[in-house]
Amino acid sequence: MNSIRESAWRAFEVDGLPTTRDEDWKYTDLSRIAAVLGESWWNAEAGEAVSADDYLIPDLHAYRLVISNGVVDLAASEIPDAITITPLAALLQDDPDAAVELMLNDSDAPFASGVTALNSARASDGYCICVANNVKLDRPLHILNLSSGGAAHIRTGITIGRHAELEIIEHFAGSDSAAGVTNSLTAIRLAAGAKCEHYRLQLESSKQWHLGRVEVNQKADSSYTLHAVELGSALSRVDVVDDLNEPGAESELNGLFVLSGRQHVDHHTRVAHEAPHCRSREHYRTVLDGRSHAVFNGKVVVAKGAVKTDSAQSNANLLLSGRAEIDTKPELEIYNDDVKCAHGATVGQLDKNQLFYLKSRGLSEDEAKQLLTFAFADELLAKMKSKPIRRYIERAAFAKLPNLSGLEDMLV
């Protein structure tokens, strides 16, 4: 483990943070992290820990794992008996090989950078969640990552056994008492027939930078669904890498950004079809107000032997301000002919004809804008199976936007 951390640290010393000269980071500038937190920003100390009770999701009946400033807080957690959750410190004692696999830094992985190397080198704590074969929890698992400034490096490993099912809510939040950075990497492994419903909710404070990565490895007939929501932080960059490695695997990536002020959010996704008869869907939507800036780069790679691949990708963007900006680039990289693949992107403002129609039916202009903005974003939120999470995100998202004072009347 020490050699892995030392090797990762050397890689970070060589590479440093990515810059806008790097193609994958050309729109996202991380230089202000050091300017605000200092030259040794990766060691910045956190403020006083915040209470998990202040960040719970109303009406959500779930098990809970609390991570406070990068450290597992078992006292504030409620862990089910049906699965095994092992903090990194205990994993080093009980299963050193598993700890090494969890912390390994792969410099050749897609989107690998100094950020991922730093996570391997500096993760103060982490945890490994293991779901045995055929196990299905009676409640979802709410992983609450809380920050009170400073630097938190978090490493998470999740292994879901054959025909097992897990619903997880990975929730990032915290106080705005001090500036800070969250550096989180989550690796998910799905065995044959396993299912995972993954809610990734980023609602960090406006003084926080958020650097995230999700790595998914899928076996035969497994199913993975991601709901990635970006509402908080000053700057957020998240990479999602999903490998469909055996026949019959299915993947669905859903993303929603609702941004205002000078917020900046960047998602890079890569879905690799490595085996025949796999299916993937990707739906991203952004609502941008003020001088906010969103970046979406989604790539689907179809390997030479991955015949009968079925893949579709879409990115729709709604600009509520003339100063908001979106950079979008959906991509297909296909190495065989026997596939069905499609992709597309749209950028626009509220449709004047739709506004005119709604106003002709008796709605005021503000009410018409409310309805159209809500409908645009809620089309994606409707894919969420959990009603408490959907309502929580609806209220948090639309509270940021103008002309949405009548939100409660729209919620069903």
Side-chain angles (χ1 to χ4, degrees), residues 177-243:
S177 58
V181 58
T182 299
N183 181 5
S184 170
L185 190 154
T186 301
I188 302 175
R189 304 289 182 262
L190 287 88
K195 294 183 179 180
C196 180
E197 189 93 7
H198 182 191
Y199 296 87
R200 193 180 194 281
L201 314 179
Q202 193 279 104
L203 291 89
E204 300 214 74
S205 85
S206 59
K207 295 182 179 179
Q208 195 81 1
W209 286 273
H210 183 90
L211 306 175
R213 181 178 177 90
V214 178
E215 299 175 353
V216 185
N217 187 304
Q218 296 186 234
K219 298 299 185 182
D221 301 315
S222 62
S223 174
Y224 173 74
T225 301
L226 171 67
H227 305 281
V229 177
E230 293 278 352
L231 302 183
S233 78
L235 179 149
S236 176
R237 164 65 185 246
V238 176
D239 297 329
V240 180
V241 180
D242 189 357
D243 294 336

Side-chain angles (χ1 to χ4, degrees), residues 1 5 86-97 99-100 103:
M1 177 59 69
R5 287 189 182 276
T86 309
L88 178 60
L91 197 65
L92 285 168
Q93 296 282 339
D94 301 338
D95 193 344
D97 291 339
V100 167
M103 299 302 295

Side-chain angles (χ1 to χ4, degrees), residues 307-344:
V307 297
K308 304 299 181 183
T309 287
D310 181 2
S311 177
Q313 180 190 86
S314 67
N315 175 224
N317 305 279
L318 177 61
L319 305 180
L320 299 180
S321 165
R323 296 179 296 175
E325 183 179 353
I326 173 70
D327 291 287
T328 178
K329 186 182 179 183
E331 298 180 85
L332 291 174
E333 192 174 301
I334 303 173
Y335 295 98
N336 74 71
D337 297 328
D338 191 6
V339 301
K340 183 170 68 174
C341 296
H343 67 168

Side-chain angles (χ1 to χ4, degrees), residues 258-284:
V258 180
L259 310 180
S260 60
R262 291 179 174 267
Q263 283 185 287
H264 178 101
V265 170
D266 178 351
H267 272 220
H268 274 54
T269 69
R270 185 181 189 274
V271 179
H273 288 256
E274 301 289 352
H277 301 281
C278 292
R279 180 181 184 273
S280 69
R281 293 291 184 268
E282 193 165 359
H283 312 278
Y284 267 72

